[in-house]
Amino acid sequence: MSQSREIKRRIKSINNTKKITKAMEMVSAAKMRRSVDKVLISREYSNIAWEIVQSIASTDIKYKHPLLRQVKEVKNVAVLAISSNRGLCGGFNSNLGKKLLSACQELDQQKINFECLSFGKKVAHTIRKNNFDIVADFDKPDLLQNITTISPITHLLLNGFIEKKYQKVLLVYTDFVSSLKQEPTVKQLLPLKPAPDDQLGQVQKVGEKDKEKNKQSTKDILEYKFEPSPQAVLDEILPRILEIQIYQAVLESDASEHSARMIAMKNAFSAATDMIDSLTLAYNQARQAAITQEIAEIVAGAAAI
Amino acid sequence: MSQISFKIITPERTLFSEMVDQITLQTTEGEITVLPGHIPIISTMSPGELRFVQGNEEIPMVVLGGFVEITKTSVIVLADAAEKVEEILEERAIEAKKQAEELRQSKIADREDFAALSAKIEKELARLKVAQKYKKRKRPRL
């Protein structure tokens, strides 16, 4: 009988877990919907803005904006890693951590210095555990209200690049592909014109690459005119577009986090259901065994008399 | 007749993306009209009215700041915000402008706040101006 009591206790505790995971699933489903909407809405804007910047960067302009500076030798790299604050979201943070590690190791092998900036508690933890240089740890709000939240980050990165402290700026974040698939990615934010042999941080899907190529060939001939003047236009739009890129990365990461958490909680919920089923079976078997044994004892006792 | 692909995109949505015949927009340098085959220009935009011709129709919109990329075959407006004229709620625009002006008077704001407020007032003004311009005129149905 003691065994069945044990099983009953376990069923009860798993039932509680099941309730909690269900609730968390529902909460993150709601959050996911909100953040996915946000990310999809602004994705086109940021993609097109990025394309424009890329084509500006690939044309020759007399006015050399500091952000369009060509980089000959990369000595110092800033890596901005974006993660979540909380755990319980499956492999979300550990996958991102792995991506960050592999990117950092690659830099290490090339004997390039790098400094990390973190946005999100989990990745800050990963960076500290691996003893990487961490120059700044930004507090990530649970709900990103608007773009001003990330302006200190942008400021730090862009100024670092302009003052030649960094020769390259990388973003490590989780790209939201669908609610079932999130991909940790490394994106090169600066310099805008990637060197041809530079493989790190070139994230382009195959189909888009072809499209890009066609576009590039038509755009190469173009010489943009800037109105009122190259300086005025570039001064205004370059920092803004770069900020939008960082903002978009944060939104992608948020959407990924909530979808990952929802899936993780869904899995936990169905695992709990399965476990309860098998435990209930075991409990019934144990109960039946106890009854049978009791009857056998009684019968044996009666036979003895 | 050749056409030009035209897109208005804001961080909130893609407002418009179709082929059109010509586009008139307000850059910080002044009003320009773009026809197919225009030389490539990148320019910043000032808050104001944007009109484009599609077939026999001229359709107005309000664009509140941002910038524009013009190539031979396409015009892409990346606006901070943009609205179709029929979407503008005039009362709301008036209210917003009043609020912004009140804020400016009540607060001895620092420079950054002041600039932001001025920009807001300018935007609301542009919105109002366009709304009032097209209020009386009967617009052909889309």
Side-chain angles (χ1 to χ4, degrees), chain A residues 74-93:
Chain A
V74 180
K75 279 190 202 138
N76 260 310
V77 178
V79 181
L80 173 67
I82 302 162
S83 81
S84 70
N85 279 337
R86 291 160 215 261
L88 284 182
C89 41
F92 175 77
N93 285 313

Side-chain angles (χ1 to χ4, degrees), chain A residues 137-164:
Chain A
D137 177 12
F138 295 99
D139 268 339
K140 187 178 175 184
D142 278 340
L143 244 178
L144 200 63
Q145 293 296 354
N146 56 32
I147 201 158
T148 49
T149 324
I150 59 150
S151 49
I153 305 177
T154 324
H155 196 73
L156 191 77
L157 288 175
L158 297 193
N159 273 357
F161 187 78
I162 291 172
E163 285 159 11
K164 311 202 171 173

Side-chain angles (χ1 to χ4, degrees), chain A residues 6 27 33 35 51 74 79 81 103 118-119 148 164 196 216 223 240 247 252 304:
Chain A
E6 192 73 13
V27 169
R33 211 167 307 129
S35 51
E51 267 172 35
V74 180
V79 181
S118 66
F119 192 52
T148 49
K164 311 202 171 173
Q216 214 69 43
E223 281 282 313
R240 217 163 74 198
Y247 183 63
E252 298 271 353

Side-chain angles (χ1 to χ4, degrees), chain A residues 16-143:
Chain A
N16 285 337
T17 315
K18 191 172 140 182
K19 272 182 211 152
I20 292 169
T21 53
K22 183 77 192 167
M24 283 180 77
E25 185 196 328
M26 265 144 52
V27 169
S28 42
K31 280 190 184 166
M32 181 189 101
R33 211 167 307 129
R34 219 173 316 145
S35 51
V36 167
D37 280 351
K38 240 179 174 172
V39 79
L40 293 183
I41 283 167
S42 64
R43 191 181 269 166
E44 180 161 21
Y45 185 88
S46 91
N47 283 351
I48 289 187
W50 188 239
E51 267 172 35
I52 292 178
V53 163
Q54 294 276 332
S55 58
I56 293 177
S58 58
T59 52
D60 267 339
I61 306 163
K62 283 201 195 83
Y63 169 67
K64 293 283 173 227
H65 191 276
L67 286 172
L68 291 174
R69 174 162 69 90
Q70 297 273 6
V71 177
K72 292 202 182 72
E73 195 187 4
V74 180
K75 279 190 202 138
N76 260 310
V77 178
V79 181
L80 173 67
I82 302 162
S83 81
S84 70
N85 279 337
R86 291 160 215 261
L88 284 182
C89 41
F92 175 77
N93 285 313
S94 63
N95 287 343
L96 185 91
K98 269 184 222 149
K99 192 82 190 175
L100 177 69
L101 279 188
S102 72
C104 288
Q105 270 159 8
E106 203 168 313
L107 290 174
D108 224 17
Q109 275 168 10
Q110 294 168 8
K111 303 252 182 304
I112 298 170
N113 268 334
F114 58 88
E115 288 174 348
C116 295
L117 296 91
S118 66
F119 192 52
K121 277 182 199 146
K122 287 284 169 183
V123 81
H125 193 72
T126 316
I127 294 171
R128 242 173 258 129
K129 214 168 64 190
N130 285 291
N131 282 330
F132 294 150
D133 280 344
I134 184 162
V135 278
D137 177 12
F138 295 99
D139 268 339
K140 187 178 175 184
D142 278 340
L143 244 178

